[in-house]
Amino acid sequence: MPIPISYNVRNVIQRPWSTLATTIGIALVVAILIGAFALASGFQAALVETGSDSNAMVLRTGADSEISSGISLDAAHILKALPDVAPGPDGRPLVSADMVVLMNQPRLGQEGSSNVTVRGIDPPSLALRPRVKLVAGRMFAPGSDEVIVAQRIARRFAHCGIGDRLRFGQRDFTVVGQFTAGGSGFDSEVWGDNAVLMPALNREGAYQSVTFRMRDPSRFAELKRRLESDRRLGVEVRTERAWYAGQSRLMSTVLRAGGILITLIMAVGAIFGAMNTMYAAVGQRTREIAVLLTLGFTPGAVMRAFLFESVFPALIGGALGCLIALPINGVTTSTTNWSSFSEIAFAFRVTPAGMIAGLIFAAIMGAFGGFLPARQAARQSLAMTLRAG
Amino acid sequence: MALVEVKNVRKTYRREAEELTVLDGLSLEIAEGDFVALMGPSGSGKTTLLNLIGGVDQPSSGDVVVGGTRLTGLRGKQLARWRARNIGYIFQLYNLIPVLTALQNVELPLLLVKMSGKERRERARHALDIVGLEDRLKHFPRQLSGGQEQRVAIARAVVSDPTVLLADEPTGDLDRKAGADILTLLDRLNKEFKKTIVMVTHDPTAAERAHRRLHLDKGVLSNGPS
Ligand SMILES: Nc1ncnc2c1ncn2[C@@H]1O[C@H](COP(=O)(O)OP(=O)(O)O)[C@@H](O)[C@H]1O
Ligand SMILES: [Mg+2]
């Protein structure tokens, strides 16, 4: 026995200004929520896209970062010789055993120093990771004291210009090129020849990871099972994409949680606004509510009707919030303030899931704001109100 | 057996410390098809009595039985459902829903029974036809005169074919001519459609239209001159 929706819709239209105020308040909250989610999604996407589904990434069992991983030289040899490794255009296998180490480097333009990721690679690495592109200078010569640096690193750290010298361990390395990596994790790294870097940094015992292009990515599951059950290796195998997705999880969770926190604080204001509007509506219509109850509509039906009157404009506000948030899609964030995670540039991504979350949140705000007034409407004493006035 | 039986009903209101007895052991029987006028000074408990018969309020003690149903045994939702099927209420101030058209106002009680939208509209239209407003279906209450509003309210009260019509000073807010039209309409509902009517009124000429006149004073009923 529902009260017809047209009754509520018309009542909402009867008070256009307070409805508009509520709607805009909720729209702003939803826009911020969607924006925060777009930030997190953009960040996640940047990291996830660092990796390819066609590449397999091998780390020591249980390692949760490359730094804490280790692959023995013998294991790396076995992996490099696998028939599963696809050959590159030059016929050589597309595989790179990487040494990864954090080096403390002085920053540009400010006091102090911070960590830079230094990656020692095998020559096929560039072909293996097509997102990495040289934008200045040239590739380092194999076996030489040369390195290439991510362009973004060059902006933040000293001695990263072409021709400059970087000191790692006991040796100086000459910067001969700069690269970009499409906003991925590699955009924060310095690359050199592992055959030179490993002895220079006393890291000759082991690599950190081995990445290779799979000849048949569709058979990844079988490959994973085979390698992980090989006692000689002691490794865990993921697709490169899955690995970087995992690496982004913590940060994007933090971004989302932060967004939700800010949104919740703002939502309190929007909810009180909606509540105010609804209390006024219920107050003005006590007689009308009494009539509905007298006719035989149940208190539950009255309660639902007034909840709807609160949720309906809130949903419109939610849709409006989606429209407000939509233009930030694709806008690139400035990353200079984000020193906690080395220089990852990324674009906001407004996702359908984010918009649906925004709409649901709008409905929840409307329901919260409408609950107490609606309950008051449903509970009012019939005999008393009919007599009044 | 009478259609409405009010048995030894007491109704008290508590206002802070003092207790106000509005109805004190009142009994009343109304036969099916009767048209009763309830008179008495302001504050004598007429609305209170009407609300007890209509299942809008509950007595402090005693019983109210309407059409064989003991209202004092019903609670909340059951009582709401019972009202929807058995009571047609007509108020002094019409109490139409301002955002709904005349037709939609009259359809409202039919939403509480199982019925197709088409049948609902037809019955509402028929009810408005009976009260002579077949040409005002799409009008909103503010576009109608007081007399027309009250006729819409009457259509709303009778559309679900209730057992009893309760009218609380239905002509109290109308001019003489419009009031007379409303009384003629109630009279016709009683004679032609065999509706049982209980009408509260201050107006002796209005009370003349009823079969029976009851006087309520200080919580006690007495038969008026008939
Ligand atoms: N909810 C209530 N609380 C306290 N007193 C009430 C309440 N409702 C009615 N009364 C009192 O009961 C008496 C009868 O009221 P009512 O039935 O409205 O009289 P009438 O309709 O004959 O004018 C009045 O004195 C009124 O003030
Ligand atoms: Mg009264």
Side-chain angles (χ1 to χ4, degrees):
Chain A
M1 335 197 275
I3 293 169
I5 283 173
S6 59
Y7 163 74
N8 299 114
V9 172
R10 281 182 209 170
N11 272 305
V12 169
I13 295 168
Q14 288 286 308
R15 43 183 150 89
W17 295 114
S18 63
T19 299
L20 194 68
T22 310
T23 304
I24 288 176
I26 285 175
L28 291 179
V29 176
V30 167
I32 284 177
L33 180 70
I34 293 174
F37 278 17
L39 187 76
S41 299
F43 172 81
Q44 199 164 18
L47 269 192
V48 169
E49 283 164 12
T50 302
S52 155
D53 269 331
S54 311
N55 290 351
M57 194 155 162
V58 185
L59 288 97
R60 179 168 62 206
T61 305
D64 53 9
S65 70
E66 280 188 281
I67 299 297
S68 65
S69 170
I71 305 276
S72 70
L73 302 185
D74 290 345
H77 271 297
I78 295 173
L79 290 166
K80 283 181 171 184
L82 284 173
D84 308 82
V85 179
D90 59 359
R92 288 166 57 191
L94 280 176
V95 57
S96 179
D98 292 358
M99 174 219 72
V100 181
V101 62
L102 292 178
M103 296 297 298
N104 211 260
Q105 292 293 314
R107 281 193 297 228
L108 258 187
Q110 59 198 120
E111 288 290 300
S113 59
S114 63
N115 284 332
V116 176
T117 304
V118 177
R119 185 181 294 272
I121 56 169
D122 283 328
S125 207
L126 278 184
L128 188 60
R129 291 150 172 158
R131 285 171 68 92
V132 176
K133 291 192 175 69
L134 274 173
V135 290
R138 58 172 175 81
M139 182 62 181
F140 62 79
S144 70
D145 289 357
E146 294 173 350
V147 291
I148 55 174
V149 300
Q151 205 169 39
R152 218 166 268 143
I153 291 286
R155 275 187 228 124
R156 281 184 66 217
F157 289 91
H159 316 305
C160 289
I162 291 176
D164 286 353
R165 290 178 162 269
L166 284 167
R167 190 163 185 84
F168 295 143
Q170 303 306 316
R171 283 168 79 168
D172 279 336
F173 288 80
T174 309
V175 177
V176 296
Q178 293 184 342
F179 64 89
T180 61
S184 75
F186 297 133
D187 264 328
S188 325
E189 297 185 350
V190 175
W191 285 11
D193 189 338
N194 58 12
V196 181
L197 280 168
M198 286 170 79
L201 298 171
N202 293 323
R203 292 299 207 102
E204 288 161 285
Y207 299 100
Q208 267 62 57
S209 67
V210 174
T211 305
F212 62 87
R213 176 72 45 80
M214 288 179 278
R215 200 183 280 275
D216 185 0
S218 67
R219 298 189 53 202
F220 170 75
E222 185 272 325
L223 171 73
K224 176 181 168 70
R225 211 174 312 119
R226 178 153 43 84
L227 296 186
E228 287 183 355
S229 60
D230 190 329
R231 293 274 194 96
R232 294 171 301 168
L233 299 174
V235 294
E236 222 166 309
V237 185
R238 300 177 186 81
T239 66
E240 195 184 29
R241 193 182 182 86
W243 168 256
Y244 283 103
Q247 294 293 296
S248 73
R249 202 156 293 139
L250 175 68
M251 189 63 202
S252 58
T253 303
V254 168
L255 287 176
R256 279 204 179 87
I260 288 172
L261 192 70
I262 294 169
T263 309
L264 282 182
I265 292 167
M266 288 190 60
V268 172
I271 288 170
F272 273 110
M275 198 180 292
N276 214 22
T277 303
M278 288 313 295
Y279 267 128
V282 171
Q284 276 163 18
R285 280 152 62 199
T286 46
R287 170 169 287 277
E288 199 173 305
I289 294 161
V291 170
L292 290 172
L293 291 168
T294 305
L295 287 178
F297 288 100
T298 58
V302 169
M303 171 127 188
R304 279 191 294 277
F306 276 87
L307 265 184
F308 175 83
E309 267 189 42
S310 183
V311 170
F312 167 67
L315 273 176
I316 292 181
L320 197 64
C322 291
L323 288 181
I324 295 172
L326 217 44
I328 67 162
N329 192 34
V331 172
T332 311
T333 54
S334 139
T335 56
T336 40
N337 294 334
W338 298 72
S339 50
S340 53
F341 60 99
S342 41
E343 290 295 328
I344 289 180
F346 54 93
F348 281 91
R349 279 207 184 186
V350 178
T351 59
M355 294 205 284
I356 288 168
L359 281 177
I360 291 172
F361 192 66
I364 290 173
M365 281 190 281
F368 265 72
F371 178 76
L372 289 177
R375 197 177 60 164
Q376 177 179 310
R379 281 188 177 178
Q380 79 178 33
S381 150
L382 249 185
M384 190 92 141
T385 2
L386 277 178
R387 207 180 307 261
Chain B
M1 200 175 74
L3 182 70
V4 177
E5 294 174 82
V6 178
K7 297 180 197 166
N8 197 23
V9 155
R10 242 177 88 83
K11 179 70 185 177
T12 58
Y13 289 113
R14 182 171 283 287
R15 202 176 272 166
E16 271 134 53
E18 60 186 289
E19 197 165 79
L20 174 72
T21 302
V22 181
L23 303 177
D24 193 2
L26 184 144
S27 294
L28 167 67
E29 293 197 348
I30 297 170
E32 185 158 8
D34 208 348
F35 185 172
V36 178
L38 189 58
M39 305 185 72
S42 185
S44 58
K46 304 182 296 294
T47 298
T48 302
L49 179 56
L50 221 54
N51 284 345
L52 294 178
I53 296 172
V56 165
D57 207 353
Q58 292 279 16
S60 307
S61 68
D63 264 335
V64 179
V65 182
V66 178
T69 305
R70 210 176 127 256
L71 303 190
T72 28
L74 298 183
R75 284 281 163 268
K77 218 170 172 170
Q78 294 171 301
L79 205 54
R81 208 171 293 145
W82 178 85
R83 275 201 304 273
R85 273 187 272 114
N86 295 282
I87 297 296
Y89 235 109
I90 301 160
F91 307 91
Q92 179 178 355
L93 294 173
Y94 334 126
N95 283 341
L96 298 179
I97 306 294
V99 297
L100 299 182
T101 63
L103 185 68
Q104 288 166 331
N105 264 285
V106 177
E107 276 185 51
L108 218 42
L110 298 179
L111 292 169
L112 294 165
V113 291
K114 243 182 138 151
M115 187 178 286
S116 72
K118 186 162 171 282
E119 189 181 354
R120 196 163 61 226
R121 270 185 298 283
E122 263 163 26
R123 284 185 60 168
R125 223 176 255 139
H126 181 60
L128 281 165
D129 204 25
I130 292 173
V131 301
L133 287 176
E134 61 283 354
D135 54 349
R136 294 287 193 279
L137 305 181
K138 294 266 156 61
H139 284 57
F140 286 94
R142 64 171 182 283
Q143 300 168 317
L144 298 170
S145 72
Q148 288 171 330
E149 277 197 76
Q150 191 61 297
R151 281 192 276 157
V152 175
I154 291 173
R156 181 178 69 183
V158 298
V159 73
S160 53
D161 197 20
T163 317
V164 187
L165 278 185
L166 301 175
D168 196 348
E169 305 189 35
T171 61
D173 213 51
L174 297 175
D175 60 42
R176 186 164 293 281
K177 166 76 174 66
D181 287 348
I182 293 299
L183 289 168
T184 305
L185 184 55
L186 288 176
D187 201 32
R188 188 177 151 224
L189 288 171
N190 174 248
K191 291 213 174 70
E192 196 175 316
F193 297 93
K194 307 285 178 257
K195 290 283 138 205
T196 308
I197 301 175
V198 183
M199 174 177 73
V200 170
T201 182
H202 282 301
D203 180 3
T205 58
E208 281 305 311
R209 311 293 281 263
H211 305 166
R212 259 170 93 195
R213 278 155 293 280
L214 297 173
H215 283 268
L216 188 60
D217 201 358
K218 300 198 176 71
V220 183
L221 264 186
S222 61
N223 287 315
S226 41

